[in-house]
């Protein structure tokens, strides 16, 4: 058998084959969108102040920092005759995530909600990182940009639907208000739907996608046996950190500022926009719950625009070579302007324009860095490097959570909560400009 899973002669796949192998990302994004759009609302409902929100989020990135490299390392070393290399992790993560989504909105105290967030983020990461590696496993280099963009298209669909779920179920007659200190039934039902979608879409991918076995299964098992053990695993992970390719480090700079911006949005968009745009900053009022639903719907626009932008990129990357570096740079600059525009909005509907621009950046963040990285690293270590690459996602979130947001926006822009969105915009602009340091030709072209 040829080394089709690791070599350069993998067959090109059709759009629908790539769609099937990426469809589980719809459920994963349901989890992330519900987490990103409504956890701050749950925290505020349970009595958290605006300044306490970032530190309550810290469990999520800390979990990712630990879990993602371990899952990447383990998936590189896994082969199950029935489920393959990456799919066992899809299934485990989906089961844990779905259970957590069901129970999370029933939290009765801040510590409980923060704990559920920790479990949810760990569970989602178990499913998510092997999905990135699966694209690189299955596709030739000429289709990498295309494959990651198809994933982004699915993520955009998930973001838009999940962000609008509470508003949608409210229109169906589900109550959007609850006694003080309790989460409204509309949010609880949205999380239940998210759990069902998560497990359902993951099962669809597992059932419709096959994985290529190692070229020499006996040699694969022997190598794993010789290097098994906790100590050997830790050594290998740290060895790969110290031997990280230069292009990966440079992409890490871009990722740092990109994810600092989006963590700022997830943490502060609800309190900032309910206060600045809707004049409803008191979480104890019905006006706040209505405004929070509207903010969630407007945030769904960035999922919708990322879906449209990804659809455009799917067409382009299926037929033409692109310059990933400049495409990513310009997309991030557009997103930065979207965040900055929130300061001068005079009517709520104008938030759609801001989030359309942000969606352009989001679509690129979810595709171009992974396409650039996968073309410039050892394919035998795709899982571990994809896991380690996410250090550059979680580290900025940790920095933001332990005071980076509160200190920076107040120091440079002033006390008003809406200035967090200005901080997010400036961070995305820096991320866009940081693409100029990437010079690796294999990473840039695709």
């Amino acid at each position: 058998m040829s080394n089709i899973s690791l070599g350069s002669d993998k067959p090109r796949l059709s759009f629908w084959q790539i769609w099937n192998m990426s469809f589980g990302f719809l459920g994963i994004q349901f989890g992330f969108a519900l987490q990103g759009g409504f956890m701050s609302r749950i925290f505020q409902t349970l009595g958290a102040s605006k300044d306490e929100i970032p530190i309550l989020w810290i469990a999520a990135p800390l979990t990712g920092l630990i879990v993602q490299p371990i899952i990447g390392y383990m998936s590189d070393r896994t082969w199950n005759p029935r489920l393959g290399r990456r799919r066992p992790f899809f299934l485990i993560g989906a089961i844990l995530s779905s259970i957590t989504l069901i129970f999370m909105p029933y939290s009765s105290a801040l510590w409980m909600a923060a704990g559920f967030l920790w479990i949810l983020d760990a569970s989602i990461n178990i499913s998510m990182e092997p999905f990135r590696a699966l694209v690189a496993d299955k596709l030739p280099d000429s289709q990498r940009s295309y494959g990651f963009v198809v994933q982004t298209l699915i993520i955009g669909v998930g973001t838009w639907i999940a962000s609008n779920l509470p508003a949608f179920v409210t229109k169906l007659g589900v109550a959007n208000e609850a006694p003080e200190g309790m989460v409204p039934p509309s949010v609880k039902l949205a999380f239940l739907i998210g759990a069902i979608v998560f497990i359902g879409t993951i099962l669809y991918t597992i059932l419709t996608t096959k994985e290529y076995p190692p070229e020499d299964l006996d040699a694969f098992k022997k190598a794993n046996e010789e290097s098994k053990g906790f100590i050997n695993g830790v050594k290998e992970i740290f060895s790969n950190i110290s031997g990280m390719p230069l292009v990966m480090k440079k992409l890490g700079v871009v990722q740092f500022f990109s994810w600092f911006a989006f963590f700022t949005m997830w943490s502060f968009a609800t309190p900032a926009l309910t206060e600045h745009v809707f004049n409803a900053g008191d979480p104890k009022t019905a006006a706040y719950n209505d405004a929070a639903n509207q903010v969630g719907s407007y945030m769904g626009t960035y999922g919708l625009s990322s879906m449209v932008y990804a659809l455009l990129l799917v067409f382009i990357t299926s037929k033409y070579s692109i310059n990933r570096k400049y495409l990513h740079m310009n997309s991030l600059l557009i997103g930065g302007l979207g965040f900055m525009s929130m300061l001068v909005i005079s009517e709520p509907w104008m938030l759609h324009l801001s989030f359309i621009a942000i969606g352009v950046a989001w679509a690129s963040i979810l595709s171009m860095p992974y396409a650039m990285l996968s073309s410039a690293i050892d394919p035998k270590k795709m899982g571990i490097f994809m896991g380690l690459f996410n250090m550059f996602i979680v580290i900025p979130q940790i920095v933001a959570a332990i005071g980076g947001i509160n200190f920076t926006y107040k120091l440079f822009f002033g006390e008003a909560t809406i200035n967090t969105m200005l901080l997010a915009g400036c961070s995305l602009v820096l991320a866009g400009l940081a693409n100029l340091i990437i010079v690796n030709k294999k990473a840039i072209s695709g």
Side-chain angles (χ1 to χ4, degrees), residues 155-209:
I155 289 169
V157 175
T159 301
W160 180 70
I161 298 174
S163 297
N164 282 282
L165 267 179
F168 176 72
V169 298
T170 299
K171 290 180 180 178
L172 294 178
V174 181
N176 191 42
E177 297 179 33
E180 184 176 338
M182 295 184 66
V183 176
S186 61
V187 176
K188 292 177 180 177
L189 181 56
F191 273 72
L192 174 61
I193 294 171
I196 295 170
V197 172
F198 201 127
I199 190 70
T201 56
I202 291 289
L203 287 174
Y204 178 86
T205 284
I206 289 173
L207 294 172
T208 60
T209 302

Side-chain angles (χ1 to χ4, degrees), residues 97-109:
S97 297
S98 298
I99 293 171
T100 308
L101 282 169
I102 292 170
F103 288 103
M104 178 177 279
Y106 290 90
S107 301
S108 58

